[in-house]
Amino acid sequence: MSGEHGRQRARHLLDTVWSAEVLAALPWKEVVWANAHSRILVFDGRDDVIAHAALHLRDATLDAGPVRICGVGDVATHPDCRGQGLAGELMRRAVTEMRDTHGVDFGLLFCEPRHAPLYKKLGWRAFDGEVHAEQPRQGRIRFGVIDPFVFDLMMAPRVGMLDLCGLPW
């Protein structure tokens, strides 16, 4: 689904998962995030969104050379639906979109350490280089508030200087 339409459909889920109280305690609460290109949604039998992942297509640079990447962000599952494999299914679908629809060089996501085991199990690998992104008040910054992970497609970067050439996701 398109980014904006999907965000509207997923608003209730996203507000449930990231309530004001939850957001206030997160290390990335002050970050300004990019708008998604498209979204993957999972619906229940009542047509309510119960799981969500946002996809962000981006022309970026790795060690000053051009790369085309697809970022995954806002991965969320309704609290009542966790433990059913929905996040894993979302991520597998995201990889299929990256590879088959968009033909990107690699996938990129940012996650808190508590979520890293899930992503590692699904084939994502830690990126140990530097990531730079834009923030409205600071301009170009080194983005290190949460950990970057890559999914290998045409490239398998583990280190280097990655510039998102825009807002993070």
Side-chain angles (χ1 to χ4, degrees):
M1 190 172 288
S2 72
E4 183 57 30
H5 185 244
R7 185 178 63 80
Q8 290 174 9
R9 288 296 310 266
R11 179 172 297 281
H12 178 71
L13 169 67
L14 298 174
D15 289 345
T16 298
V17 171
W18 291 299
S19 66
E21 297 81 26
V22 169
L23 281 176
L26 293 173
W28 44 266
K29 65 184 173 211
E30 302 293 327
V31 174
V32 176
W33 302 99
N35 293 322
H37 171 267
S38 62
R39 296 172 190 269
I40 301 168
L41 307 175
V42 176
F43 297 89
D44 66 8
R46 296 181 315 263
D47 204 36
D48 292 327
V49 177
I50 57 172
H52 167 277
L55 299 180
H56 302 262
L57 294 174
R58 182 71 58 86
D59 291 316
T61 63
L62 178 64
D63 294 331
V67 290
R68 180 79 168 154
I69 59 179
C70 183
V72 180
D74 290 336
V75 178
T77 303
H78 193 282
D80 295 340
C81 301
R82 292 182 179 155
Q84 299 176 20
L86 295 175
E89 185 56 36
L90 283 171
M91 296 307 294
R92 284 186 285 280
R93 176 63 189 264
V95 167
T96 298
E97 288 289 314
M98 286 184 233
R99 183 188 60 235
D100 298 345
T101 303
H102 302 296
V104 299
D105 294 315
F106 57 93
L108 179 71
L109 63 80
F110 300 98
C111 77
E112 297 171 51
R114 63 189 173 114
H115 298 302
L118 167 67
Y119 295 116
K120 287 178 182 177
K121 180 179 170 185
L122 294 170
W124 292 79
R125 301 292 172 246
F127 179 77
D128 294 319
E130 290 185 22
V131 177
H132 294 264
E134 297 291 326
Q135 284 294 278
R137 289 189 218 157
Q138 298 111 324
R140 183 176 181 266
I141 62 164
R142 182 171 180 182
F143 188 73
V145 69
I146 44 182
D147 300 328
F149 284 78
V150 295
F151 193 91
D152 301 343
L153 292 167
M154 295 169 72
M155 297 174 69
R158 297 293 181 270
V159 296
M161 172 105 46
L162 178 61
D163 190 335
L164 300 182
C165 299
L167 297 171
W169 46 83

